Amino acid sequence: MSNYPLFSVIGIEIEYMLVDKNSLNIQPKSDRILTDLAGTLVNEAMIGEIAVSNELVLHVLELKNLKPRALSEPIVDHFQQAIHALQPFLEQYDLLFMPSAAHPWMNPHTETQRWPHGNNAIYQQFDNIFDCRGHGWSNLQSMHVNLPFANDDEFFQLHSAIRLLLPLLPALAASSPLLDGDFTAYQDARLYYYGVNQKNIPAISGHIIPEFVQSPQEYHQHILNPMYAAIDPYDPEKILQFEWLNSRGAIPKFHYNAIEIRIIDSQECVTADLAIAKFIVAILKKWLHHSDYLLTHPCPIEPLKTVYQASLKQGLDTPISDSELWKQWQVSSQAKTIRQVLTQLIDQVSHELDPPAQRALETILERGNLSERLVKQLKGKTKPDNLQAVYRQLTHCLLENEQL
């Protein structure tokens, strides 16, 4: 994304599970799909405008727009066309793509199969240090939103605005209410594990909400260099000591001049994923173009962290009572929950959103995030037949590009 100015383009990455079309159990066959796509075993293959690539585990494929795109381009169509074009490759192995952020009954301790091919030293090292057979590692699917900055000043602006938005995103995007075949205490169980799966080296993920910094130099000094020093005893060959080791909720990729937002659960359809991405761009743009308050009055981590942590359980009903947060988010004090905060924010930028994005966001605010809708569909029943019936609906939602 080098040298693209703020908000001029976007990069989207969405992960999907490979599951058996009958049982919906995970199927570790991403290498077979990539081999069939490319004619030889590769880490990444192109299908139309979309790149398809491997991930840490063999039952997940990632789809991404290989080149940065303006939001005015038909990005939803690009993804949807790729999903449909991949169907014959999936069908020959009796596979389906299943969306959402976590498989509801996978046992990661017995079913995890790590990508074993090519230059897999990075995956091996992660496994050596953290043991990747766990929900936070091998059972997770997310959407990453990559936004560009052209220079140091734009980095400062973008990073400052993103850290302010992060606590609101889990409530909007939560889609992981079940693990191990049962309800969890969380609407966003994926992010609970995301926050604890590297706890033996806290410098890697920090507080998930990034620290306030004013330049790339400060970022290296206060975040990246201490992180490299903390992992060095476990990584003497320096296999992992690169900026992508950073597991905060948004990470700068200085090589590409972009910041990647990482804490968005995958949704049930591409339109819903892109609606969230379009809202992110619209509200960040509004905040930066209409006020310098967030740049001149940096919000401490603690209140942002408090809201973030509460949202993992309470979602859209997370209470808001901090007057400074109302100022930072530029909403009225009547916004007593995240749902009410988001309602005001989405209303403020509605003119920037196309009708499909507006409808998708309205569905989330009115009927609940995907976790809430999944729980309502299950009606308290988590027998295998009930889980299969509801999650099979998600596979249809993805193909039809419709919300649950």
Side-chain angles (χ1 to χ4, degrees):
M1 283 201 177
S2 299
N3 298 322
Y4 289 102
L6 282 177
F7 310 123
S8 59
V9 293
I10 194 169
I12 299 291
E13 309 166 33
I14 311 174
E15 296 164 334
Y16 296 111
M17 295 172 265
L18 294 170
V19 299
D20 180 84
K21 73 175 185 181
N22 297 309
S23 68
L24 300 188
N25 294 333
I26 66 155
Q27 291 294 300
K29 296 180 180 179
S30 62
D31 50 353
R32 299 188 192 182
I33 303 300
L34 288 166
T35 298
D36 292 347
L37 280 171
T40 188
L41 181 59
V42 293
N43 293 341
E44 184 173 277
M46 291 298 298
I47 188 159
E49 299 290 329
I50 299 298
V52 183
S53 60
N54 74 290
E55 280 297 315
L56 169 69
V57 287
L58 278 167
H59 73 274
V60 173
L61 280 172
E62 178 183 83
L63 275 60
K64 59 188 176 186
N65 52 329
L66 189 61
K67 296 180 180 179
R69 300 288 184 181
L71 271 177
S72 58
E73 296 188 47
I75 299 175
V76 170
D77 293 342
H78 294 164
F79 274 90
Q80 202 62 29
Q81 289 162 9
I83 288 167
H84 282 282
L86 280 163
Q87 292 311 301
F89 296 92
L90 301 179
E91 288 168 3
Q92 64 179 337
Y93 299 108
D94 293 326
L95 299 177
L96 294 171
F97 270 152
M98 192 161 81
S100 81
H103 194 283
W105 64 81
M106 173 193 178
N107 183 336
H109 297 288
T110 60
E111 296 183 76
T112 294
Q113 292 191 39
R114 189 165 42 78
W115 178 266
H117 306 293
N119 183 16
N120 66 345
I122 292 170
Y123 297 149
Q124 180 65 60
Q125 189 74 323
F126 272 117
D127 208 4
N128 292 342
I129 298 172
F130 300 109
D131 184 1
C132 296
R133 294 169 301 167
H135 288 301
W137 289 104
S138 61
N139 185 19
L140 78 163
Q141 289 72 230
S142 60
M143 174 178 71
H144 293 177
V145 174
N146 296 269
L147 300 174
F149 56 88
N151 51 50
D152 288 3
D153 184 57
E154 288 193 356
F155 165 76
F156 167 53
Q157 295 180 52
L158 183 62
H159 188 262
S160 299
I162 286 174
R163 69 186 293 273
L164 189 62
L165 181 61
L166 290 180
L168 302 175
L169 295 181
L172 187 64
S175 68
S176 47
L178 296 116
L179 293 174
D180 302 315
D182 205 352
F183 299 113
T184 69
Y186 294 85
Q187 292 189 25
D188 205 318
R190 176 186 78 90
L191 285 181
Y192 164 75
Y193 281 97
Y194 183 88
V196 300
N197 64 10
Q198 295 169 314
K199 62 183 179 181
N200 56 325
I201 309 177
I204 295 177
S205 57
H207 298 287
I208 304 299
I209 305 300
E211 298 84 338
F212 178 80
V213 296
Q214 299 189 64
S215 68
Q217 293 74 24
E218 277 193 22
Y219 201 96
H220 280 85
Q221 179 183 354
H222 297 301
I223 298 175
L224 294 182
N225 292 339
M227 180 182 71
Y228 300 150
I231 202 171
D232 191 65
Y234 306 86
D235 182 42
E237 297 178 355
K238 299 186 180 349
I239 295 171
L240 303 181
Q241 294 176 45
F242 298 90
E243 58 189 27
W244 40 258
L245 173 64
N246 189 358
S247 292
R248 283 156 180 77
I251 65 166
K253 297 196 276 190
F254 293 110
H255 183 68
Y256 297 104
N257 275 21
I259 297 178
E260 179 181 81
I261 301 173
R262 301 165 60 87
I263 59 168
I264 308 166
D265 278 12
S266 294
Q267 302 299 291
E268 74 273 43
C269 66
V270 176
T271 288
D273 286 305
L274 265 293
I276 293 170
K278 290 172 182 177
F279 163 68
I280 289 170
V281 171
I283 198 62
L284 294 177
K285 188 189 299 185
K286 179 204 174 272
W287 283 347
L288 291 174
H289 288 180
H290 291 84
S291 172
D292 63 357
Y293 186 83
L294 67 90
L295 302 178
T296 56
H297 297 75
C299 191
I301 281 184
E302 203 54 43
L304 298 173
K305 175 186 170 185
T306 297
V307 172
Y308 171 82
Q309 292 289 350
S311 76
L312 304 188
K313 286 188 174 183
Q314 297 173 268
L316 292 164
D317 294 325
T318 302
I320 304 296
S321 58
D322 190 311
S323 60
E324 179 60 22
L325 289 178
W326 290 324
K327 288 181 184 177
Q328 294 275 350
W329 290 328
Q330 300 174 32
V331 297
S332 77
S333 59
Q334 295 177 333
K336 303 296 187 183
T337 64
I338 286 184
R339 188 191 310 272
Q340 292 169 347
V341 171
L342 287 170
T343 297
Q344 289 192 28
L345 293 178
I346 290 169
D347 184 62
Q348 291 171 15
V349 297
S350 61
H351 60 285
E352 295 276 350
L353 302 171
D354 56 62
Q358 288 192 48
R359 287 193 295 270
L361 294 168
E362 287 169 3
T363 293
I364 294 171
L365 292 179
E366 293 172 5
R367 295 178 45 219
N369 58 40
L370 182 52
S371 280
E372 292 180 271
R373 283 174 277 140
L374 286 167
V375 170
K376 289 173 186 174
Q377 288 267 10
L378 286 164
K379 299 177 181 178
K381 301 174 182 177
T382 56
K383 291 182 179 179
D385 288 351
N386 301 111
L387 292 177
Q388 282 193 18
V390 171
Y391 275 80
R392 190 171 297 281
Q393 289 183 57
L394 295 188
T395 68
H396 294 300
C397 287
L398 183 65
L399 285 174
E400 300 301 322
N401 196 22
E402 295 176 347
Q403 286 176 281
L404 182 69

